[in-house]
């Protein structure tokens, strides 16, 4: 509000919703650029205030980041709170929980990846808060789920509810076009199918290999650098890994590393290109071997899971460090990714004629997200039963068949 008395300067008053403006700007900035790429100056500019004014509201960028991440996860807690107050039909409760989570995620799609990918930068105490918030949401899903499926083990119920959250959250990993109503219907259907999925009790024949890849100096400098760099990016984050760290990991001086690689961004881009090219090549190979779409998808899922189990750090880094890939490399990667996803999506539509290609892309993205979240879905080691379970969940997500064929 401004004073306009004769001869007196206008008085600019602080908007009543300034705190909410800062919260929205922080969430949008961190969601689109990642924690490390955002500065207090960036957030202040989004709000239309000076950095000094922003510091009067919050003492640091970290405080804004923490509030953004925990605010998003608290939103999931708040939107599912009704489940604690009802003893009604468990099927209707589970459906209502799914709908509430889907609506909240669609409404916050641009920033929803914050708690999925950037939460690793939270301090330990704040990360514990996030874990508790997500546990509350999972437990609210467990109650009706275990009432409907009393033979499930508690660990299986946890896997299914966590997988449901992964599928819902997968829309924050990509920006494929689809009408909001269609996204809502598709996510609710995929989530319901996964929550109803029959799970394997023993290792499926032809399960993917489980032995993680180990690459040493004997493989040559190029492969050794890629492997150790991805490991460090996974363990410490791209921003917290230096060329000196990479050089030390492979046992050479940093000057020797710089002679072969201009910088760590180039190494990251090479790792991304390796992953994208392998996925594209595996897809082409499977298509050349099979004419039946379901058989081809079967092979592709096994091959894809095999790659994930072989080098589990790479898919996680691929999803979390994307904003650090140089723009020219990113454009090439997007071309490869879109081509590969379309190939999978066409197989899905061939196996499910009722599904349109736009929806199929979302199903493929959700299936990929399940493999990236493998370590979160299974706290224990990735034994044969865990791999068979994740394979089954991918199959249900892609083909929509929670009950296995006899």
């Amino acid at each position: 509000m401004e004073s306009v008395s004769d001869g007196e300067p206008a008085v600019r008053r602080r908007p009543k919703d300034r705190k909410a403006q800062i919260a929205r700007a922080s969430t949008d900035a961190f969601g689109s650029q990642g924690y490390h790429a955002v500065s207090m100056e960036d957030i202040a500019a989004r709000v239309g205030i000076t950095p000094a004014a922003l510091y009067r509201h919050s003492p640091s960028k970290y405080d804004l980041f923490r509030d953004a991440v925990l605010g998003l996860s608290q939103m999931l807690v708040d939107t599912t709170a009704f489940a604690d107050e009802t003893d009604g039909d468990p099927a209707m409760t589970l459906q209502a929980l799914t709908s509430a989570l889907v609506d909240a995620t669609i409404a916050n799609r641009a920033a929803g990846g914050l708690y999925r990918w950037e939460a690793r930068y939270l301090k330990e105490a704040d990360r514990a808060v996030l874990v508790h918030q997500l546990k509350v949401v999972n437990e609210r899903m467990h109650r009706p789920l275990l009432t409907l499926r009393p033979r499930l083990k508690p660990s299986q119920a946890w896997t299914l509810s966590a997988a449901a959250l992964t599928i819902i959250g997968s829309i924050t990993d990509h920006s494929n076009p689809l009408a909001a109503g269609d996204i809502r219907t598709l996510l609710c259907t995929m989530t319901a199918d996964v929550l109803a999925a029959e799970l394997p009790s023993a290792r499926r024949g032809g399960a993917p290999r489980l032995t993680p890849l180990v690459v040493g100096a004997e493989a040559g400098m190029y492969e050794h650098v890629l492997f150790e760099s991805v490991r460090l990016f996974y363990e410490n984050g791209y921003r917290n890994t230096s060329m000196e760290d990479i050089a030390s990991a492979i046992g050479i001086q940093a000057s020797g590393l710089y002679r072969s690689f201009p910088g760590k961004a180039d190494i990251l881009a090479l790792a991304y290109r390796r992953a994208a090219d392998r996925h594209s090549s595996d897809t082409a190979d499977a298509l050349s071997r099979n004419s039946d779409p379901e058989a081809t998808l079967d092979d592709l899922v096994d091959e894809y899971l095999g790659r994930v189990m072989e080098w589990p750090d790479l898919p996680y880094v691929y999803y979390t460090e994307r904003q650090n890939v140089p723009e020219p490399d990113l454009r090439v990667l997007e071309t490869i990714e879109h081509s590969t996803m379309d190939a999978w999506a066409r197989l899905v539509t061939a196996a499910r004629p009722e599904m349109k290609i736009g929806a199929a892309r979302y199903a493929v993205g959700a299936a990929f997200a399940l493999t990236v979240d493998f370590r979160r879905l299974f706290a224990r080691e990735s034994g044969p039963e865990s791999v068979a379970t994740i394979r089954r969940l991918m199959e249900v997500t892609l083909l929509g068949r929670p009950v296995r064929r006899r």
Side-chain angles (χ1 to χ4, degrees), residues 120-385:
R120 65 195 189 280
Y121 296 119
L122 288 174
K123 295 176 181 177
E124 185 175 350
D126 296 324
R127 194 179 302 119
V129 174
L130 174 64
V131 169
H132 174 72
Q133 289 170 327
L134 296 178
K135 182 180 179 182
V136 168
V137 176
N138 276 282
E139 287 176 344
R140 285 171 176 163
M141 299 182 76
H142 291 173
R143 290 195 291 270
L145 179 61
L146 286 170
T147 301
L148 292 168
R149 304 185 63 184
R151 293 187 179 183
L152 283 178
K153 300 175 184 177
S155 61
Q156 291 176 318
W158 175 268
T159 296
L160 290 177
S161 65
L165 291 178
T166 289
I167 287 169
I168 295 170
S170 68
I171 66 169
T172 68
D173 300 338
H174 61 84
S175 57
N176 288 317
L178 196 65
D182 292 336
I183 295 173
R184 188 184 191 282
T185 299
L186 179 63
L187 288 181
C188 288
T189 299
M190 289 193 297
T191 302
D193 286 343
V194 161
L195 291 172
E198 292 183 354
L199 298 177
S201 57
R203 182 174 180 175
R204 174 186 176 278
R209 53 190 177 275
L210 301 174
T211 305
L213 183 69
V214 177
V215 176
E218 67 279 0
M221 182 180 177
Y222 180 76
E223 295 295 334
H224 198 194
V225 167
L226 278 186
F227 180 79
E228 290 297 331
S229 297
V230 169
R231 180 183 64 81
L232 290 170
F233 295 153
Y234 174 80
E235 292 178 357
N236 306 323
Y238 173 82
R239 294 279 180 162
N240 294 329
T241 299
S242 66
M243 288 288 277
E244 288 71 20
D245 294 331
I246 298 170
S248 177
I250 64 173
I252 65 172
Q253 295 294 318
S255 57
L257 184 60
Y258 276 111
R259 281 195 293 270
S260 300
F261 301 92
K264 65 176 183 177
D266 302 278
I267 298 174
L268 181 67
L270 288 169
Y272 270 66
R273 185 63 182 265
R274 166 65 60 84
D277 279 340
R278 281 186 169 179
H279 191 188
S280 177
S281 177
D282 289 342
T283 300
D285 287 346
L287 285 165
S288 70
R289 291 193 303 267
N290 294 295
S291 57
D292 178 77
E294 289 194 34
T296 306
L297 277 173
D298 201 60
D299 284 354
L300 280 174
V301 168
D302 277 340
E303 190 63 38
Y304 190 76
L305 264 181
R307 297 287 192 190
V308 171
M309 296 300 106
E310 180 185 64
W311 199 358
D313 295 354
L314 183 56
Y316 186 84
V317 170
Y318 196 94
Y319 273 68
T320 58
E321 304 294 355
R322 192 177 193 86
Q323 67 271 18
N324 295 306
V325 177
E327 185 62 31
D329 298 291
L330 194 57
R331 286 198 296 270
V332 174
L333 284 167
E334 288 174 347
T335 298
I336 300 171
E337 290 166 349
H338 291 163
S339 175
T340 306
M341 178 173 275
D342 273 357
W344 279 64
R346 285 192 295 273
L347 288 169
V348 171
T349 58
R352 303 176 68 177
E354 77 284 0
M355 180 173 279
K356 296 181 179 179
I357 190 70
R361 292 190 187 101
Y362 275 70
V364 173
F368 292 165
L370 288 170
T371 67
V372 179
D373 278 358
F374 183 86
R375 286 170 166 166
R376 183 174 65 83
L377 296 174
F378 298 96
R380 57 190 181 278
E381 292 298 318
S382 55
E385 184 177 345

